[in-house]
Amino acid sequence: MNENLFASFIAPTMMGLPIVTLIIMFPSLLFPTPKRLINNRTISIQQWLIQLTSKQMMAIHNQKGQTWSLMLMSLIMFIGSTNILGLLPHSFTPTTQLSMNLGMAIPLWSATVFTGFRHKTKTSLAHFLPQGTPAPLIPMLVIIETISLFIQPVALAVRLTANITAGHLLIHLIGGATLALLNISTMTAFITFIILILLTILEFAVALIQAYVFTLLVSLYLHDNT
């Protein structure tokens, strides 16, 4: 039971070779580059959503922060499409792997912090020691603020991993319960199946929300350092 429960989180292989790289590259096929003067409805909707999200997310940034718009839009599109594709049956979701999420969070967080120390050195250092701090508390506050700074990328990665993994486990458990209840009570199995459908719809929303939250937090870190 435990082996089957967590089997979907094991990185897939083909002929003994990992195919995670191919899975990560696959979502890019969902966003084709428009080559026509008049786009079809799918591409038009995609471009409208991208422009709407970009306008909302970049509104708080200055000119230096807006140079990150392409990076942030690519990030939210990648995480969102990967999460949604992971809800398909017999598929693998790379964002359930903490190592991958750390691989996204740490470089982006490091880039925002280095940008702050490069362009706003005094302001960045001032975050470690709030104004008016009593002298005896200065060493303790510096340590606390330093720890809180380094926890940010870990919190980014753990939040995304935990939410996506929990949703997949709930779908797997309720789906297994529905099959088991078919031989016991058809009415109970039907009610459980309705719950499964509602949970799946909720997970589609969670997949997009978590992509937005991850990108929004990176955007806020960037805003604090530009």
Side-chain angles (χ1 to χ4, degrees):
M1 178 65 183
N2 293 333
E3 182 180 357
N4 293 332
L5 184 61
F6 294 97
S8 60
F9 302 112
I10 301 175
T13 59
M14 180 180 295
M15 300 178 63
L17 299 175
I19 58 174
V20 177
T21 304
L22 297 177
I23 296 175
I24 293 174
M25 294 172 60
F26 180 74
S28 61
L29 301 177
L30 300 178
F31 303 97
T33 303
K35 299 179 181 180
R36 298 179 179 179
L37 183 60
I38 300 178
N39 298 323
N40 56 33
R41 294 181 180 179
T42 303
I43 295 180
S44 298
I45 292 174
Q46 288 178 356
Q47 291 180 343
W48 176 75
L49 290 175
I50 292 171
Q51 291 176 359
L52 181 65
T53 307
S54 177
K55 184 178 180 180
Q56 181 179 2
M57 194 168 293
M58 293 291 107
I60 62 174
H61 290 281
N62 55 21
Q63 187 174 2
K64 190 180 296 297
Q66 289 179 358
T67 58
W68 282 57
S69 58
L70 180 60
M71 172 68 74
L72 295 178
M73 289 302 101
S74 300
L75 180 66
I76 191 173
M77 290 166 58
F78 170 74
I79 298 177
S81 58
T82 302
N83 291 345
I84 290 178
L85 288 175
L87 293 173
L88 298 176
H90 304 288
S91 61
F92 173 73
T93 312
T95 47
T96 57
Q97 306 296 312
L98 182 60
S99 57
M100 175 179 168
N101 295 335
L102 284 173
M104 292 189 297
I106 292 178
L108 292 170
W109 168 83
S110 302
T112 60
V113 173
F114 289 153
T115 300
F117 277 107
R118 180 181 178 184
H119 299 286
K120 299 171 60 176
T121 306
K122 293 183 179 180
T123 305
S124 299
L125 292 175
H127 288 303
F128 292 97
L129 189 61
Q131 188 176 3
T133 303
L137 297 179
I138 289 178
M140 183 180 300
L141 280 178
V142 171
I143 295 175
I144 292 174
E145 292 296 331
T146 304
I147 293 175
S148 66
L149 179 66
F150 283 97
I151 283 179
Q152 289 177 353
V154 179
L156 270 179
V158 171
R159 181 186 295 105
L160 179 59
T161 304
N163 281 281
I164 301 302
T165 302
H168 283 58
L169 289 176
L170 279 175
I171 291 177
H172 188 281
L173 289 172
I174 295 178
T178 303
L179 291 176
L181 289 171
L182 280 176
N183 299 325
I184 301 174
S185 173
T186 306
M187 182 59 66
T188 306
F190 178 74
I191 295 174
T192 310
F193 180 70
I194 297 298
I195 296 175
L196 178 62
I197 294 177
L198 296 176
L199 180 61
T200 304
I201 296 174
L202 177 63
E203 283 305 310
F204 272 99
V206 169
L208 297 176
I209 291 172
Q210 288 304 315
Y212 180 78
V213 169
F214 188 96
T215 310
L216 180 62
L217 289 175
V218 174
S219 176
L220 292 177
Y221 296 155
L222 176 64
H223 178 260
D224 292 337
N225 290 280
T226 53

